[in-house]
Amino acid sequence: MKTISLGQSDNQVSVMGLGCMGMSEFYGDRDERESIATIHRALDLGMNFLDTADMYGIGENEKLVGRAIRDRRDRAFLCTKFAVMRDPQTKGMLGVSGRPEYVRSACDASLQRLGVETIDLYYQHRVDPQVPIEETVGAMAELVRDGKVRHLGLSEANADTLRRATAVHPIAALQSEYSLFSRDVEGDILKTCKELGITFVAYSPLGRGFLSGQIKSIDDLAPDDYRRMAPRFQGENFQKNLELVKKIEELAAKKGCSASQLALAWVLAQDQGKDSHILALVGTKRRKYLDENAQALQIVLTEADLDQIEAVMPKGIAAGPRYPEMAMRFVQS
């Protein structure tokens, strides 16, 4: 497993991380035994970067991850997030909070659910538009001083927010969506991360599974699957995006790999060399897909390969926004 430095620290993290969200919610059926086996398999592969959040399963995902790493804490680089508040009864979103007092209480609750003394990387999941980022990061920095958190991160923050946050305390990582379907971060955001020495964590590098080529019809998704409400999976958007995926499958076949592997290799190819700062976060709950994804690290894309991919998947070609309108309000650009 290849590794990179987290931010400007000496901590080495795997260039591919495991997103654990779907193990508890959003993506159909759940199997705790297989989920835990998948986390263990990731660690055995050297994939030490494990990602969860307090809103995934409304705390249940943190508990699951905590159980999985209980006897192997030293092998895991543990990341979780706060800020998105949900109603435990309806499971609906109540809003976003970056209030200092909320930061502290959320961290204590996450530590308890995870069963650990320290969180390796603590993110603000979404920036609170009502609270200056300086106040939120100031409270997060207190958690570092108290030994509850080692490194700080933000998610879906723009370049200006990153600069303001970094002026208060070093930001080790920014997690935002990045894939052949979602390239909004290209430009100022990726450039600012590189300039400030911030690791960029690309979540949904497979377009929420669309780029895997496994989804051919909306009926391939479980009735309670979140993606049924996602704009890119609806109506004409679905059909247009499916045609794009077919083109990626054709290129992957010529390369001798799967569509998933090609899409992951593309994300990682956007920043190579000794100072690489991009980490791909693969969200899977099954070992067979984890193994397939990990093999993407063996794929080398030439300039000709990248040109061919760009020709069929230029920036902005995906049909539909990546979130419903309400959720997009909390995504900075």
Side-chain angles (χ1 to χ4, degrees), residues 178-179 183-191 266 270 315:
Y178 189 36
S179 71
R183 297 172 61 176
D184 303 343
V185 297
E186 291 181 354
D188 285 348
I189 292 177
L190 283 179
K191 180 180 177 181
W266 179 88
Q270 302 312 300
K315 181 178 180 180

Side-chain angles (χ1 to χ4, degrees), residues 30-331:
R30 296 176 290 279
D31 181 338
E32 179 168 325
R33 181 175 297 181
E34 177 62 20
S35 292
I36 289 177
T38 301
I39 292 173
H40 291 172
R41 175 64 176 158
L43 294 175
D44 290 342
L45 290 171
M47 195 181 296
N48 66 344
F49 194 93
L50 304 180
D51 182 272
T52 181
D54 60 3
M55 66 88 73
Y56 300 160
I58 313 182
E60 291 304 312
N61 195 244
E62 287 184 323
K63 293 177 183 177
L64 184 151
V65 173
R67 289 193 292 273
I69 67 169
R70 186 168 297 151
D71 61 348
R72 55 200 81 195
R73 175 67 182 94
D74 60 330
R75 297 170 58 191
F77 191 89
L78 184 59
C79 317
T80 192
K81 318 176 197 72
F82 75 93
V84 179
M85 301 180 297
R86 296 176 64 193
D87 186 316
Q89 302 303 318
T90 67
K91 298 187 178 181
M93 182 176 174
L94 297 174
V96 167
S97 178
R99 292 178 290 109
E101 61 272 22
Y102 182 78
V103 173
R104 291 187 284 269
S105 64
C107 180
D108 288 341
S110 287
L111 286 168
Q112 184 174 15
R113 285 189 293 266
L114 290 162
V116 299
E117 295 181 354
T118 307
I119 296 164
D120 294 313
L121 175 59
Y122 197 45
Y123 294 97
Q124 183 181 17
H125 206 160
R126 292 291 186 271
V127 176
D128 185 344
Q130 305 302 319
V131 179
I133 193 64
E134 291 83 358
E135 292 184 19
T136 302
V137 174
M140 295 168 72
E142 290 179 8
L143 300 175
V144 176
R145 290 191 285 272
D146 292 343
K148 296 179 178 181
V149 169
R150 292 193 175 95
H151 303 282
L152 304 184
L154 299 178
S155 181
E156 295 291 2
N158 62 24
D160 178 64
T161 297
L162 282 174
R163 293 185 186 281
R164 289 168 54 199
T166 302
V168 177
H169 188 278
I171 299 300
L174 171 70
Q175 182 177 137
S176 294
E177 186 169 352
Y178 189 36
S179 71
L180 283 166
F181 270 1
S182 300
R183 297 172 61 176
D184 303 343
V185 297
E186 291 181 354
D188 285 348
I189 292 177
L190 283 179
K191 180 180 177 181
T192 301
C193 284
K194 191 78 168 180
E195 176 190 336
L196 299 178
I198 297 171
T199 297
F200 182 83
V201 179
Y203 78 81
S204 292
L206 298 181
R208 293 179 173 78
F210 217 147
L211 288 162
S212 70
Q214 300 296 312
I215 303 170
K216 304 298 185 183
S217 162
I218 195 68
D219 294 327
D220 290 335
L221 304 178
D224 62 345
D225 193 303
Y226 151 79
R227 290 170 290 187
R228 285 179 173 268
M229 298 183 294
R232 288 179 178 167
F233 288 80
Q234 296 179 339
E236 291 184 2
N237 289 345
F238 184 95
Q239 293 305 318
K240 290 178 180 178
N241 291 327
L242 186 60
E243 290 303 312
L244 295 175
V245 173
K246 289 178 181 177
K247 295 178 181 179
I248 291 300
E249 288 181 299
E250 291 171 3
L251 292 178
K254 293 178 182 177
K255 193 69 178 175
C257 64
S258 69
S260 294
Q261 291 166 341
L262 188 71
L264 285 169
W266 179 88
V267 169
L268 294 173
Q270 302 312 300
D271 182 60
Q272 297 179 325
K274 67 175 183 177
D275 296 324
S276 294
H277 79 302
I278 292 180
L279 184 157
L281 189 66
V282 295
T284 185
K285 51 190 176 181
R286 295 183 178 87
R287 284 169 287 180
K288 67 175 182 178
Y289 294 128
L290 179 72
D291 289 344
E292 178 185 341
N293 290 338
Q295 290 170 14
L297 294 171
Q298 309 305 318
I299 298 170
V300 177
L301 297 180
T302 64
E303 288 298 323
D305 292 330
L306 293 171
D307 288 343
Q308 286 182 322
I309 294 170
E310 184 69 22
V312 300
M313 291 283 281
K315 181 178 180 180
I317 196 172
R322 50 196 181 99
Y323 285 115
E325 184 178 354
M326 186 190 80
M328 284 300 295
R329 291 193 327 225
F330 294 99
V331 172

